Amino acid sequence: MPTPGPAEPSLPPAAPRATRVAEILQTVLTGLILAFIFRAFLVEAFIIPTGSMADTLLGAHATRVCPACGWEFDFAPLRTAAPGAGFVVPPEIICPNCQFAFEATPTDTAPKAGDRILVHKWPYALAGLCPPQRWDVIVFRDPADPDQHYIKRLIGQPGETVELVDGDVFIDGRIARKPPEVQATLWMVVFDQAHLASANAPSGRLPRWIALDPPDPTGAGWAGLDQRTIRYDGLDQTGREIIFNADTGTEYLLDLYAYNRHSSGAFVGDVRIVAEFTPRAGNGVCRWELLRSPQRFFAELHRDGHVVLGAEALDAAGCTFTLDKHLNTALAFGRPVAVEFGHVDFRVYLTIDGQEVLSSTDELYAPRLEHLRTAARARPVGLRIGARDLACELRRLRIDRDVHYTSRPVQALRATTGRPFTLLAEEYFVMGDNSPDSHDSREWTEAGPHLPPDYRPGTVRADQIVGQAAFVYLPGLLPLGTGARWSVPDIGRVRFVR
């Protein structure tokens, strides 16, 4: 008798159509709720609409390479274009490095949208455990319109008194220095010797660095001032110097932004010189100077490894100090070292191969507000490099400037020089990095109906802060192909926001 096989498994009864639809809706709604919670409390994406935070964050822009020096830079559309005209290319574009002016057309200029950023909401929402900090880049609701969002850099915190003096931020009468990671973001190139204008440019290859003295009969002196590598070939004891001639370009060392060509006309006082320095022969010294009245600051690199940082007073208001140190080893012939010498936020420093070796202290050098409030910088800072009994080379010689927060009494209502502004509880003070073109706490007069009657124009209330800008996840798109019909993300500009 045959053995019966296993019984066929029975299928479950078909679920009613209404039940299946309900399950799908439940899944979709759950996903939407989770997405809403994520957006409302954790992370939200925004797009930068304007250039008030340039060059840290860019609004609508285009990128061009200067045909004279090869410098790549970003610029905004023409502001005076008719509404709805789209990206209108300015009739003239000026390179911020060599100041060569050239024409651009829509056919050779591909517009890009503003940077797209991710904003962290949760750090500020932790019941005061992680409150906003000075120099954070924050997103907040427009005081005049709660449906509009602004993005600025946080400058003043509750209970503090803010004053802008000579481009710097003073809090309660003391200089507010930027952390290294923020300062690294805010340096802007003034002139890069590695990007010289070509000889066929209309202005020619006019040297920006010039020698104060001609070479002696033996040929000793500075050479290559119109080349990417500058050399000093003398082993004499007299020493010779070169200076940066800002007069070769009237915009050098102004608080001018290539993004939209705006400037308050002020000369920037915080500047650094960076270069790759290579000793070739001799046992002398290379000296770097920064003339910022009422002081002349200097840094000396001796071939034997002795380094010096100091200041010389130019008048009674100046200070004098000298710091020195011996490196672990002497500077080797033929071995380049990265040198950075600068003045920023009333601090002078010298860095070698990425390590800070000497810097001033507040006891040696501190700002005098009574002098700064009345002194106006009529000329750009002076920059000078000299050598004595040391043949050497300078490569990648570059000048950078810091952000300069403008204090314009005509437009600004608060925190201008001599008119400090005190914040109350739960109030913050914000400004844009593109200071000459930023409508911010200095000027606001509007107040929307969503704010309480005691709201003070010019402040950002704590309950109006959305979060901290954290990451540029999608910079402006790059055109793909000559027709520019397709675009790809500019991955090289994906970055954290500092």
Side-chain angles (χ1 to χ4, degrees):
M1 184 173 185
T3 305
E8 256 187 44
S10 60
L11 296 175
R17 182 182 298 273
T19 302
R20 293 202 303 270
V21 171
E23 290 175 349
I24 293 173
L25 289 176
Q26 183 181 21
T27 302
V28 172
L29 288 175
T30 301
L32 290 175
I33 292 172
L34 291 176
F36 176 78
I37 294 174
F38 185 83
R39 180 180 182 272
F41 298 102
L42 297 178
V43 176
E44 186 173 355
F46 289 90
I47 183 170
I48 305 298
T50 70
S52 69
M53 281 295 293
D55 292 335
T56 306
L57 296 168
L58 300 175
H61 65 284
T63 304
R64 285 299 301 268
V65 175
C66 174
C69 71
W71 186 259
E72 183 179 272
F73 62 99
D74 303 302
F75 61 91
L78 188 65
R79 176 172 292 183
T80 56
F87 192 100
V88 178
V89 179
E92 183 180 68
I93 300 174
I94 301 177
C95 172
N97 181 65
C98 72
Q99 298 191 9
F100 173 66
F102 60 97
E103 295 182 357
T105 64
T107 57
D108 60 14
T109 304
K112 303 178 183 178
D115 289 335
R116 292 165 173 82
I117 63 171
L118 294 179
V119 175
H120 286 170
K121 297 183 174 184
W122 58 269
Y124 295 167
L126 293 179
L129 296 179
C130 298
Q133 299 297 312
R134 189 175 355 271
W135 309 119
D136 284 355
V137 178
I138 64 171
V139 171
F140 54 93
R141 295 178 182 86
D142 176 6
D145 181 3
D147 295 328
Q148 178 73 32
H149 291 85
Y150 280 173
I151 182 167
K152 307 289 181 186
R153 193 175 294 276
L154 193 152
I155 301 297
Q157 297 174 283
E160 296 180 337
T161 299
V162 184
E163 184 178 3
L164 305 177
V165 185
D166 195 22
D168 290 319
V169 176
F170 285 78
I171 301 296
D172 299 333
R174 297 176 62 86
I175 185 71
R177 295 191 173 98
K178 298 178 282 294
E181 64 276 9
V182 174
Q183 186 60 62
T185 297
L186 294 178
W187 284 119
M188 287 168 275
V189 174
V190 173
F191 177 70
D192 191 335
Q193 185 74 12
H195 287 265
L196 294 170
S198 58
N200 58 1
S203 60
R205 183 175 287 181
L206 187 65
R208 271 34 176 174
W209 288 91
I210 59 175
L212 291 181
D213 302 297
D216 64 21
T218 66
W222 289 95
L225 299 179
D226 59 348
Q227 304 294 324
R228 291 185 174 87
T229 300
I230 297 177
R231 302 181 308 278
Y232 182 71
D233 297 324
L235 295 178
D236 57 303
Q237 292 295 322
T238 304
R240 297 173 187 272
E241 297 174 321
I242 57 174
I243 63 170
F244 180 71
N245 185 9
D247 293 336
T248 58
T250 57
E251 296 176 351
Y252 285 135
L253 297 170
L254 283 174
D255 64 335
L256 184 136
Y257 291 74
Y259 178 81
N260 51 15
R261 308 292 306 161
H262 283 194
S263 169
S264 71
F267 288 110
V268 179
D270 285 342
V271 179
R272 70 174 179 177
I273 309 174
V274 295
E276 189 179 88
F277 170 71
T278 305
R280 292 297 181 187
N283 291 294
V285 59
C286 184
R287 179 180 168 109
W288 309 47
E289 293 184 359
L290 192 155
L291 178 62
R292 190 184 192 275
S293 183
Q295 285 91 208
R296 176 190 291 111
F297 301 101
F298 64 90
E300 295 180 351
L301 283 75
H302 295 254
R303 219 287 294 180
D304 62 3
H306 183 215
V307 292
V308 181
L309 180 71
E312 300 167 346
L314 300 177
D315 57 40
C319 67
T320 302
F321 66 84
T322 303
L323 302 170
D324 66 340
K325 181 179 182 178
H326 278 276
L327 304 177
N328 294 332
T329 60
L331 301 178
F333 292 135
R335 179 187 177 276
V337 293
V339 179
E340 179 180 334
F341 166 58
H343 178 290
V344 63
D345 295 338
F346 284 91
R347 180 175 174 271
V348 192
Y349 66 93
L350 173 65
T351 296
I352 298 178
D353 284 339
Q355 299 295 320
E356 188 174 282
V357 294
L358 290 171
S359 63
S360 64
T361 62
D362 288 342
E363 290 72 26
L364 295 173
Y365 172 53
R368 301 180 183 180
L369 275 177
E370 64 277 6
H371 172 75
L372 293 173
R373 286 175 177 143
T374 57
R377 185 173 294 106
R379 287 192 53 79
V381 296
L383 303 171
R384 182 175 300 197
I385 301 176
R388 185 181 71 251
D389 193 26
L390 183 65
C392 57
E393 290 182 353
L394 296 173
R395 295 176 182 268
R396 299 183 176 90
L397 178 60
R398 194 180 76 240
I399 301 168
D400 297 336
R401 75 163 179 91
D402 186 24
V403 62
H404 187 95
Y405 291 112
T406 58
S407 176
R408 302 168 291 180
V410 176
Q411 295 102 328
L413 304 174
R414 305 167 198 90
T416 58
T417 303
R419 298 173 60 188
F421 181 73
T422 301
L423 296 160
L424 304 180
E426 301 298 307
E427 291 181 344
Y428 292 88
F429 196 92
V430 298
M431 292 192 296
D433 289 349
N434 188 349
S435 190
D437 193 49
S438 175
H439 184 52
D440 50 40
S441 285
R442 297 166 298 173
E443 304 170 2
W444 287 331
T445 58
E446 307 89 351
H450 63 293
L451 295 174
D454 62 347
Y455 168 76
R456 295 198 305 158
T459 65
V460 174
R461 292 177 56 92
D463 58 5
Q464 298 300 302
I465 297 177
V466 175
Q468 180 182 4
F471 189 69
V472 179
Y473 72 93
L474 186 59
L477 299 176
L478 290 172
L480 186 64
T482 56
R485 295 180 58 189
W486 306 96
S487 299
V488 295
D490 190 356
I491 300 300
R493 296 194 180 191
V494 172
R495 61 198 183 275
F496 289 101
V497 179
R498 301 298 186 190

